Amino acid sequence: MEGTRFWLALIALAPLLLTQARRARRDTPRLPEAGGPDHGQAGDGPAAARLLVVGESTAAGVGVREHRQGLGAQLARALHHRSGQPVAWRVNGVNGIRAGALADRLAAAPAADADLAVISLGVNDTTGLTRPGRYQADLLALIKVLRRNQPTLPVALLSVPPMQHFTALPSPLRQVLGLRAARLDRAQRTLAARLDGVHHLAYPVIADPACLAEDGYHPAERGYAYIADQVADTLATLLTPCH
């Protein structure tokens, strides 16, 4: 149903949507990926658990100056606060990447040891009109890459962001993209339901403009902290400490 509604809206509104998309691309500030080390630790002493965050711009820390302010570090802090144990973190993100390209990128790099992997993807596959079946297959390939040396590695799929709430995008463009994002997220949920140790996490909607970066699109430091706090309880149940 979501797929049918999306294509009907796309066809009916194509000229307007194309104009809005071009204007949004032109007018939206292009923020860089975060700088600084792509790894760190929350808490002192030997790490009790290792967190790996991979994905698109959110994993790459777009919206903050350094990775220590971004999603991976904020998740590690939230998990550390709940457990009292030191949590090491590492991120591997690329602004603008899709699931298939990320799977290829990680397959060509040395495997990273982790006790929990978080995948944050979907916006670029949404805007790039990746078919749901293709997106699901690319996610499966990515999960297999992450698990190549750790077959039972817990994996959390952060849901595709609800793009209908991206107020930096004009209407009706954001509503049409929201339909597509929901369709891809349903493919994620279906995949998670049939794979052992893979879990779907609802994406916390950021309603406070103060939690967004200057582009009105990506989280700022407060936004990443908010997302981390909202999902940390669920992630804590998935995390198996390293030995």
Side-chain angles (χ1 to χ4, degrees), residues 67-125:
H67 283 297
R68 62 182 177 82
Q69 303 166 302
L71 182 61
Q74 298 287 4
L75 286 172
R77 289 190 191 100
L79 290 168
H80 167 61
H81 289 159
R82 283 158 175 76
S83 69
Q85 300 296 312
V87 178
W89 60 270
R90 180 176 296 275
V91 296
N92 193 331
V94 181
N95 191 16
I97 204 165
R98 300 190 201 183
L102 182 61
D104 292 341
R105 172 187 170 91
L106 295 185
D113 291 330
D115 301 294
L116 173 64
V118 176
I119 297 173
S120 179
L121 283 168
V123 169
N124 296 295
D125 283 284

Side-chain angles (χ1 to χ4, degrees), residues 32-203:
E33 297 180 359
D38 62 2
H39 60 281
Q41 182 170 304
D44 299 323
R50 301 159 298 179
L51 173 69
L52 174 65
V53 178
V54 302
E56 53 191 4
S57 57
T58 46
V62 174
V64 294
R65 187 181 300 273
E66 296 186 352
H67 283 297
R68 62 182 177 82
Q69 303 166 302
L71 182 61
Q74 298 287 4
L75 286 172
R77 289 190 191 100
L79 290 168
H80 167 61
H81 289 159
R82 283 158 175 76
S83 69
Q85 300 296 312
V87 178
W89 60 270
R90 180 176 296 275
V91 296
N92 193 331
V94 181
N95 191 16
I97 204 165
R98 300 190 201 183
L102 182 61
D104 292 341
R105 172 187 170 91
L106 295 185
D113 291 330
D115 301 294
L116 173 64
V118 176
I119 297 173
S120 179
L121 283 168
V123 169
N124 296 295
D125 283 284
T126 296
T127 59
L129 302 183
T130 302
R131 292 182 296 105
R134 177 75 265 167
Y135 182 62
Q136 194 176 73
D138 290 341
L139 281 178
L140 179 59
L142 175 58
I143 292 168
K144 288 181 177 178
V145 168
L146 292 172
R147 287 177 158 180
R148 58 188 154 172
N149 293 338
Q150 299 171 264
T152 61
L153 174 68
V155 176
L157 287 172
L158 190 60
S159 65
V160 181
M163 297 187 70
Q164 68 272 20
H165 297 301
F166 285 15
T167 54
L169 296 174
S171 178
L173 178 61
R174 68 173 180 266
Q175 284 83 8
V176 173
L177 290 176
L179 289 173
R180 190 61 174 178
R183 182 67 186 89
L184 293 190
D185 191 55
R186 189 164 68 182
Q188 282 198 165
R189 294 197 306 269
T190 301
L191 181 65
R194 66 182 177 86
L195 294 178
D196 289 339
V198 178
H199 306 267
H200 180 270
L201 288 179
Y203 192 96

